[in-house]
Amino acid sequence: MPPSRTPKADVAQLIETIYAVAARPERWEEIISAVGAAAAAGPAAGAALSHLPGLDDVGPETKPALGVILLSPAGGVVGWNSVGEAMFRDRLGVVESRGLRFFNPSNHEALAHARARLAESGAAQVIVKFIQARDDDPHFAYMAPISATPPEMIADIAHAGNASAALIFPALEASDHLWRTIRESFGLTPAETRLAARLKDGLTLKEAAEDLNVSLNTVRNQLRAVFEKMGLNRQSDLVRALAQLSALSSSLQPVMPSTVSATEAGALRVAPPVLIHRLADRRALAYRVYGDPTGRPCMMVHQGLGSSLLPRGSDQLARDLGLYIVCAERPGTGRSDPRLDLSFHTVAEDLVALTEALGLSRMRIVAFMNGAAFALAYAGALGDRAERLLLVSGRRSGVVPETERDRRHPMILLHRRMARSAWAVGPLYALLRRRLSRRQVEAMVRTAASAPGDGAYLRSHPAVAEFVYDYMSECLARSSKGAARELVMASDTPTLDLPDLSAPISVWFGADDPAGPPDDFLAWLGRPCKEVRILPAVGHFLPHKHWPEVMAWLAADEGD
């Protein structure tokens, strides 16, 4: 280190960079250099970073949750969660067992109209506009039939089985999965919906007109139509209403027709519901199931910063291939509760418990990228019940030294530096979670496509960014702490002890994989593989490009 540089100065630079990126997310690549400069700063720097004002990560125990009130077929109130009661009492009225008592009588009519629309349309949800008691401003919520309400949202509400519908109030955070429902509920045209989306993103009317390539007079007319249809008077009311609604729509997944072809776009909209298994210690383990319940049992182990979301069409494709695929979310990520003694082996214990609870026996296993070590531990815990194992673009655990080659691949370089600077991972992941947006993810995905094969794939499949955004959003929905702990744990575990692993192993790598040649991964694996396959003209995006082949591998008979 040059004499003019000190660890303290490097940490100060990193802190300054974090705040700069928090204000301007497009500067995120500056983090790579800052982490590299501060890599040797040590534990004291971790203490300094762990208390950055405004960047502390809010966990599920304190982060505002969705408010839920469950309604009976006759209109009475069956049950509610504490957030739903508090939000309703604060803004609208009183929750009583015989029904909702609104301070503004017009809200009773709005609720009745919403119930009628829901019954007549058969939709997965409708939007209802209430008038707030304290300021007569609009407050929006979703109403959904109980059959379309995610089970984890009502799992802890007593008497939920007697409900016919759920009234769901938004938390404070926003996402971008509401436009289809807004169009259906208020009758907005596609052009009006596009304008509303841009105003929600913070564009002025002039900027929206330029972005949409129409005149300012046109967008003014469209805005007046939006106001009339949604019962609003001001642009600020529209933006606030959309922010309220957007927090809900990623949790409410309308039923849409499946498609056989696997693709990146729209995976979240057609995904099976998230299910919750209660482990022996009462922790929640979230998972999805795809395919035929009577089919061949398989476990998919997702990548780092991933979730149980698989590409669109996976459910129908699994049915066609006779597969029953389980994909669980690791402790502290997605909707799974954290585990204090996190390790590859304790995660394997959770997966084995889920396997047994579902009544499954011999399993075929596929893992992607940083999920490789978790899958190996799971296969080892299953012993001879693990039929075979495929590691796709596998990443080894432990700290991997930087090479000159890594400097050509910014995402790999960032991962290498975070792995050896574990004290910085928590704040960096908290920053990622707080600033996560589609534009941010699109920029990161473009950066990740640094190998020739990946660049070509991304140009022909730009919607891969949408899929990455969806599964990252699910991973970080409750907290970033679980994903950060996972990375730190993996960095601190250079080897795996797997004496009971007997399943034959297949390894697939892309010829352009920016993580390096597969020799390093195979050396870390330390055991013979039944198959090592190098696929041409692809790198980091191998799981996306060759998804049908992955599914076919799960379905193939021995020797095919």
Side-chain angles (χ1 to χ4, degrees):
M1 180 179 296
S4 60
R5 303 289 293 177
T6 66
K8 184 176 181 180
D10 290 333
V11 172
Q13 177 191 347
L14 178 55
I15 292 174
E16 190 175 312
T17 304
I18 287 176
Y19 277 117
V21 173
R24 295 181 59 191
E26 66 274 11
R27 296 175 56 183
W28 71 270
E29 289 188 65
E30 295 176 21
I31 289 286
I32 301 173
S33 298
V35 174
L49 284 179
S50 64
H51 297 98
L52 286 181
L55 285 178
D56 51 316
D57 190 27
V58 181
E61 67 281 353
T62 57
K63 180 182 175 183
L66 299 177
V68 180
I69 297 175
L70 300 182
L71 304 177
S72 71
V77 175
V78 172
W80 56 81
N81 63 11
S82 58
V83 178
E85 182 186 23
M87 295 176 75
F88 190 87
R89 184 178 61 245
D90 179 56
R91 300 174 182 180
L92 298 173
V94 179
V95 180
E96 300 174 334
S97 59
R98 63 177 179 271
L100 301 174
R101 180 160 58 88
F102 292 96
F103 294 141
N104 188 320
S106 66
N107 288 333
H108 288 286
E109 184 178 355
L111 183 64
H113 282 316
R115 293 175 68 92
R117 281 204 316 274
L118 197 65
E120 293 167 2
S121 67
Q125 72 258 354
V126 298
I127 296 169
V128 54
K129 186 189 78 171
F130 296 122
I131 301 299
Q132 294 184 164
R134 61 187 178 207
D135 52 16
D136 289 335
D137 278 357
H139 184 72
F140 290 86
Y142 272 115
M143 178 179 284
I146 202 69
S147 60
T149 304
E152 71 273 12
M153 191 179 290
I154 58 175
D156 297 324
I157 301 178
H159 310 300
N162 299 327
S164 63
L167 194 61
I168 307 167
F169 294 90
L172 299 179
E173 293 188 355
S175 65
D176 296 311
H177 293 277
L178 76 162
W179 305 112
R180 178 174 179 270
T181 307
I182 284 191
R183 286 199 306 271
E184 292 177 352
S185 296
F186 297 106
L188 300 189
T189 67
E192 292 162 357
T193 305
R194 288 193 293 271
L195 171 61
R198 281 154 180 79
L199 296 178
K200 176 186 170 294
D201 286 342
L203 273 63
T204 65
L205 272 183
K206 182 179 179 182
E207 291 169 338
E210 293 172 353
D211 194 51
L212 293 167
N213 197 29
V214 296
S215 70
L216 183 59
N217 190 52
T218 296
V219 295
R220 283 174 177 159
N221 291 334
Q222 290 171 350
L223 183 60
R224 280 195 290 270
V226 171
F227 284 166
E228 182 178 344
K229 293 176 181 180
M230 295 185 69
L232 302 171
N233 298 308
R234 295 174 297 187
Q235 188 170 327
S236 59
D237 289 341
L238 173 65
V239 172
R240 181 169 59 178
L242 297 178
Q244 289 177 359
L245 291 170
S246 63
L248 295 174
S249 53
S250 62
S251 299
L252 296 168
Q253 299 160 4
V255 177
M256 296 176 66
S258 296
T259 177
V260 175
S261 61
T263 183
E264 296 90 357
L268 186 60
R269 294 196 300 271
V270 297
V274 175
L275 306 174
I276 300 294
H277 170 64
R278 289 288 170 183
L279 296 156
D281 59 3
R282 303 307 299 158
R283 283 183 300 113
L285 180 63
Y287 68 101
R288 284 185 172 101
V289 294
Y290 300 79
D292 181 359
T294 65
R296 189 190 302 275
C298 307
M299 178 69 72
M300 280 196 172
V301 183
H302 63 72
Q303 66 277 40
L305 282 175
S307 74
S308 57
L309 184 67
L310 301 183
R312 180 174 180 167
S314 296
D315 185 51
Q316 186 61 49
L317 187 57
R319 290 179 187 275
D320 292 344
L321 294 172
L323 300 174
Y324 180 68
I325 298 174
V326 180
C327 187
E329 297 172 351
R330 292 194 280 275
T333 69
R335 282 132 297 192
S336 289
D337 289 340
R339 180 164 185 160
L340 295 178
D341 57 339
L342 184 71
S343 72
F344 293 122
H345 293 289
T346 57
V347 172
E349 291 173 4
D350 289 349
L351 294 180
V352 170
L354 175 61
T355 301
E356 294 174 348
L358 295 175
L360 306 177
S361 54
R362 288 178 60 79
M363 304 292 291
R364 294 183 174 184
I365 308 164
V366 172
F368 306 100
M369 299 183 181
N370 293 332
F374 294 100
L376 287 162
Y378 170 61
L382 284 178
D384 59 8
R385 290 185 292 167
E387 189 173 338
R388 62 194 198 191
L389 170 62
L390 171 60
L391 306 177
V392 181
S393 301
R395 307 300 189 229
R396 53 161 293 178
S397 63
V399 175
V400 181
E402 271 184 42
T403 67
E404 187 61 34
R405 183 178 188 269
D406 295 335
R407 298 181 185 278
R408 302 195 300 270
H409 305 288
M411 295 303 294
I412 295 296
L413 188 60
L414 178 60
H415 190 273
R416 299 266 201 264
R417 291 181 174 180
M418 286 197 302
R420 75 172 193 264
S421 309
W423 47 269
V425 172
L428 292 176
Y429 271 32
L431 172 63
L432 173 64
R433 176 175 180 259
R434 286 184 177 266
R435 303 303 302 176
L436 194 68
S437 67
R438 290 188 182 277
R439 292 182 182 178
Q440 180 81 346
V441 171
E442 286 172 1
M444 296 174 70
V445 169
R446 286 195 300 270
T447 304
S450 52
D454 287 341
Y457 180 79
L458 184 59
R459 286 190 293 274
S460 60
H461 295 78
V464 68
E466 178 181 335
F467 180 53
V468 174
Y469 173 81
D470 286 339
Y471 70 62
M472 286 180 64
S473 297
E474 287 201 333
C475 175
L476 301 172
R478 296 170 64 187
S479 174
S480 66
K481 292 178 181 177
R485 285 190 64 215
E486 179 179 304
L487 176 56
V488 172
M489 181 276 296
S491 301
D492 290 341
T493 312
T495 59
L496 291 180
D497 182 22
L498 302 170
D500 298 322
L501 177 59
S502 58
I505 300 173
S506 295
V507 172
W508 292 4
F509 257 89
D512 295 342
D513 196 320
D519 294 352
D520 181 58
F521 178 77
L522 295 173
W524 169 82
L525 193 58
R527 60 184 67 228
C529 296
K530 181 177 180 180
E531 173 196 16
V532 176
R533 184 179 175 194
I534 309 298
L535 290 93
V538 69
H540 189 78
F541 294 151
L542 169 59
H544 303 275
K545 184 175 182 179
H546 292 279
W547 185 253
E549 289 95 324
V550 171
M551 299 284 278
W553 182 92
L554 284 169
D557 292 329
E558 193 70 28
D560 285 356

